[in-house]
């Protein structure tokens, strides 16, 4: 391992430059020293993940890169992401809670683990579902043996409309196991209003960047198509548009599968908001 570190040090001097290499070499030495405690040779990447974690390996990505390029380490991006997701799940479950909310989320966690084991859900989806369940419990502030009611759930949806899908499984769990009697989805009209409000917020958030980025025009048009015409997915690279006024208002004509659509320019929309 000492010889390995010497070879790495010579490479780092050339790769990073003397100053950067000198600033980092102590941290890199600690990594190789710990690596020696793990194994006399370079262990499989899965072993490194278990010992150092994905976050720990990110902090020493330079020696990890060297090991992969010159010493046979095979880096697995999927294993790295799975490790990160597992640790995020662990962090959610270790959050401090009262015993009753902890009982509720622990039961749901077991359901998600069963679905993971059978391949019915991805690890990322499980983590998102667990995160939403935890946030709903925090929002509800349940007392011992009390159940989330529809008013608390509606309030959570209003606060976090983007979690409607990810919290559905937890609501179903509460209905099935605890007979909570909750609506698993908000009213359709409410959902449409929230979606429209979100798209308008995204438009407004773009306005301060109007003169700062060269690609602002295409970004604006994509968001404007979503807000004014309900077109949620369109590639900026595939956009075909020309400046065009409509009834004296500046804007753009865009060629879309639905036909030629018009949206106002950012400057026009900004003035409309002010008025």
């Amino acid at each position: 391992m000492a010889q390995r570190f010497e070879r790495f040090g010579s490479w780092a001097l050339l790769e990073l430059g003397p100053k950067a290499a000198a600033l980092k070499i102590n941290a890199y030495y600690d990594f190789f020293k710990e690596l020696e405690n793990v194994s006399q040779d370079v262990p499989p990447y899965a072993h490194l993940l278990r010992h150092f974690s994905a976050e720990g390996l990110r902090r020493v990505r330079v020696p990890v890169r060297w090991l992969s390029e010159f010493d046979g380490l095979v880096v697995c991006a999927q294993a790295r992401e799975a490790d990160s997701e597992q640790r995020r799940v662990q962090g959610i479950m270790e959050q401090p809670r009262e015993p009753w909310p902890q009982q509720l989320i622990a039961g749901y966690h077991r359901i998600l683990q069963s679905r993971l084991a059978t391949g019915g859900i991805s690890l990322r989806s499980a983590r998102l579902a667990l995160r939403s369940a935890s946030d709903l419990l925090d929002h509800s502030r349940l007392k011992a043996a009390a159940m989330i009611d529809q008013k608390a759930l509606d309030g959570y949806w209003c606060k976090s409309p983007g979690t409607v899908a990810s919290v559905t499984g937890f609501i179903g769990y509460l209905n099935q196991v605890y007979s909570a009697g909750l609506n698993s989805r908000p009213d359709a009209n409410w959902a449409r209003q929230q979606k429209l409000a979100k798209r308008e917020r995204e438009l407004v958030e773009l306005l301060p960047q109007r003169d700062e980025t060269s690609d602002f025009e295409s970004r604006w048009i994509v968001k404007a198509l979503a807000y004014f015409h309900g077109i949620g997915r369109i590639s900026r690279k595939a956009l075909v548009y020309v400046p065009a006024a409509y009834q004296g208002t500046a804007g753009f004509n865009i060629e879309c599968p639905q036909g030629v659509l018009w949206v106002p320019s950012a400057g026009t929309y900004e003035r409309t908001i002010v008025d």
Side-chain angles (χ1 to χ4, degrees), residues 49-68:
L49 278 173
R50 282 197 295 270
H51 187 80
F52 293 98
S53 82
E55 182 57 35
L57 292 180
R58 285 190 189 97
R59 289 195 289 268
V60 289
R61 60 183 177 274
V62 173
V64 169
R65 176 159 67 92
W66 182 82
L67 289 171
S68 68

Side-chain angles (χ1 to χ4, degrees), residues 2-29:
Q3 293 173 349
R4 190 173 268 121
F5 180 68
E6 275 192 41
R7 295 197 303 273
F8 165 75
S10 299
W11 173 84
L13 186 65
L14 296 174
E15 184 74 10
L16 305 178
K19 184 176 181 180
L23 289 171
K24 292 286 189 178
I25 199 64
N26 286 340
Y28 296 155
Y29 172 80

Side-chain angles (χ1 to χ4, degrees), residues 37-133:
N37 294 332
V38 176
S39 172
Q40 291 302 306
D41 205 345
V42 179
Y45 187 70
H47 292 187
L48 289 180
L49 278 173
R50 282 197 295 270
H51 187 80
F52 293 98
S53 82
E55 182 57 35
L57 292 180
R58 285 190 189 97
R59 289 195 289 268
V60 289
R61 60 183 177 274
V62 173
V64 169
R65 176 159 67 92
W66 182 82
L67 289 171
S68 68
E69 291 180 5
F70 300 102
D71 216 344
L73 177 67
V74 179
V75 175
C76 178
Q78 282 185 314
R80 182 177 60 215
E81 185 57 31
D83 179 83
S84 296
E85 292 289 7
Q86 288 282 15
R87 290 175 187 275
R88 291 178 189 126
V89 167
Q90 183 179 352
I92 294 169
M93 293 307 298
E94 290 177 353
Q95 285 180 217
R97 298 184 186 88
E98 294 296 324
W100 173 238
Q102 183 63 29
Q103 177 180 325
L104 294 177
I105 199 168
Y108 184 50
H109 184 215
R110 288 191 292 271
I111 297 293
L112 293 174
Q113 286 179 312
S114 297
R115 294 185 63 193
L116 272 170
T118 59
I121 190 174
S122 70
L123 185 54
R124 181 177 183 275
S125 295
R127 190 259 302 172
L128 290 173
L130 204 61
R131 174 78 274 164
S132 295

